[in-house]
Amino acid sequence: QRFAYKVYRLTSITTNQEAGWFLGLDDERVYRIDKSMLEELAREKLDPVPACEHISVDEVAWQKWHKYVTNVVDVQSRKVIWNHNGRGKVTLDKFYGALGDEGCEKIEAVASDGARGYLSSTKKYAINALIILDHFHVKKYLNDAVDTVRKEELKKARSQNNEELSSILHCNKRFILMKNNPSGKQKNLIEKLQHLNERVYEAMLLKDQFLSIYSTYSHNLAKTNLKQWIIAALKSPLPSFVELGRKFFRKRYYLLNYFKCKLTTAISEGINNKIKRLKRMAYGYRNVSYFLLKIHQHCGLLNPRLST
């Protein structure tokens, strides 16, 4: 048992192959010892699911071809408390089922990327929770809308042999259009774009106007500003922003909940980066159940550092 614990501690900081080389064991034996140890600890620490008040829900790919795992993070402890193979409503329903009715009632706020499945499941089970549309994902939606306009105008500029506009709208300069606070040279480029192409400049103005909503601390003021932005987006000649305006109108309550409880999925995004590093270290995982346990070992309650 002491040797198994040593293997478990070693595999929490390095790969099974390197741990096997250090201990004089083959990879398969290290894998079986480590998996057995993690399963034992999971029964002890993760069953039942730990109670929580503020959670963040996100998914991360574990293999190609749209194979995902869903992770639920306790924002206060900054640890993964539950995960499962798959994504969407059916997967998150399993978390709320494992948490139980009493545990679901204790949840005060849930932050997610606004996926329908997550919203539907949370509304059904976490009846007392504020559902918050994460503002990092909102910014991504805005950047995608601006980039759509940029691509459309770049295509037109190339067909008209407008080299000056084509060079500004080229993909190697698109990051300038996405920046919230451009530098001096970048500001000059944006001012130049204002005279060369009104559509892209209008898209950038709409994006900046929306982001200014997050600078206010008043829920009522944010509600007024959001209403004005949605009207402006729906009246704009840019199809990508018209579509985004409709989307934000449908999810306006989740957007405004951010001003009641400043909760985001930032911790989930950080944990996703750790999970991707874990996956790269092992050159991928074939066994999803083992991968889920390794996530708990590196980013959750099964980390040996928590017991030292």
Side-chain angles (χ1 to χ4, degrees):
Q1 185 69 13
R2 288 197 301 271
F3 183 74
Y5 185 72
K6 183 179 180 179
V7 172
Y8 149 74
R9 282 173 58 87
L10 196 56
T11 56
S12 70
I13 59 171
T14 187
T15 64
N16 289 2
Q17 186 179 28
E18 290 172 342
W21 170 83
F22 182 77
L23 296 169
L25 302 173
D26 61 82
D27 300 354
E28 181 64 25
R29 187 162 295 182
V30 172
Y31 158 74
R32 284 190 279 108
I33 293 172
D34 188 41
K35 187 169 185 280
S36 175
M37 193 72 188
L38 286 170
E39 287 173 341
E40 182 181 334
L41 289 169
R43 286 191 292 270
E44 178 185 331
K45 296 184 178 182
L46 301 176
D47 188 16
V49 177
C52 49
E53 294 178 355
H54 298 86
I55 63 173
S56 170
V57 183
D58 206 358
E59 74 273 353
V60 64
W62 72 279
Q63 272 189 354
K64 293 181 180 179
W65 318 117
H66 303 288
K67 292 184 178 179
Y68 293 89
V69 296
T70 296
N71 297 300
V72 177
V73 177
D74 182 356
V75 176
Q76 291 169 320
S77 67
R78 304 174 73 85
K79 300 295 180 187
V80 175
I81 58 170
W82 184 90
N83 57 15
H84 200 277
N85 183 25
R87 62 175 177 172
K89 183 180 184 304
V90 175
T91 303
L92 195 58
D93 283 351
K94 293 175 182 176
F95 163 69
Y96 290 122
L99 196 60
D101 293 340
E102 188 176 344
C104 289
E105 289 175 2
K106 291 180 180 178
I107 298 176
E108 296 176 359
V110 179
S112 74
D113 60 3
R116 279 186 196 172
Y118 293 154
L119 296 177
S120 176
S121 180
T122 302
K123 282 193 289 185
K124 181 179 178 181
Y125 292 98
I127 54 176
N128 299 325
L130 277 177
I131 303 174
I132 301 165
L133 181 57
D134 176 57
H135 75 272
F136 292 110
H137 287 88
V138 170
K139 290 175 183 177
K140 183 180 181 300
Y141 298 149
L142 290 163
N143 283 333
D144 289 346
V146 172
D147 201 42
T148 300
V149 178
R150 180 194 66 81
K151 289 176 182 177
E152 291 171 354
E153 296 307 305
L154 176 60
K155 188 176 179 181
K156 289 179 185 177
R158 285 174 173 171
S159 66
Q160 296 168 1
N161 296 321
N162 189 338
E163 294 183 5
E164 186 179 14
L165 182 59
S166 296
S167 65
I168 295 175
L169 296 178
H170 194 271
C171 60
N172 60 7
K173 291 189 177 68
R174 72 181 184 276
F175 73 94
I176 298 173
L177 307 183
M178 308 303 168
K179 287 187 75 172
N180 296 333
N181 298 306
S183 62
K185 289 183 178 179
Q186 293 168 350
K187 283 181 180 177
N188 293 335
L189 194 69
I190 292 171
E191 288 174 4
K192 193 175 180 181
L193 181 62
Q194 179 182 1
H195 301 291
L196 291 173
N197 191 286
E198 291 182 0
R199 286 172 62 84
V200 176
Y201 190 71
E202 184 178 353
M204 294 175 64
L205 287 177
L206 281 168
K207 175 196 164 186
D208 291 341
Q209 184 186 349
F210 189 93
L211 294 179
S212 67
I213 296 173
Y214 287 110
S215 63
T216 182
Y217 293 93
S218 167
H219 178 269
N220 291 331
L221 183 57
K223 185 177 180 180
T224 302
N225 292 343
L226 178 61
K227 182 180 178 181
Q228 291 173 352
W229 187 91
I230 290 172
I231 292 170
L234 293 174
K235 288 182 177 179
S236 75
L238 309 173
S240 60
F241 275 90
V242 172
E243 184 181 347
L244 193 60
R246 289 171 181 161
K247 182 174 187 174
F248 286 167
F249 176 75
R250 292 193 301 270
K251 298 183 178 181
R252 60 193 182 279
Y253 298 113
Y254 308 134
L255 281 163
L256 293 170
N257 281 342
Y258 172 77
F259 298 93
K260 295 179 180 178
C261 177
K262 299 292 181 70
L263 190 68
T264 72
T265 62
I267 182 62
S268 287
E269 296 299 331
I271 285 174
N272 283 350
N273 287 332
K274 284 187 177 182
I275 293 170
K276 290 170 185 175
R277 181 176 62 85
L278 168 67
K279 194 170 62 171
R280 285 196 301 271
M281 281 174 58
Y283 295 97
Y285 286 83
R286 290 176 294 176
N287 187 332
V288 67
S289 61
Y290 183 52
F291 180 54
L292 294 172
L293 289 169
K294 294 298 282 185
I295 291 173
H296 284 291
Q297 184 186 32
H298 284 256
C299 312
L301 300 175
L302 303 188
N303 193 316
R305 295 185 183 186
L306 297 178
S307 59
T308 58

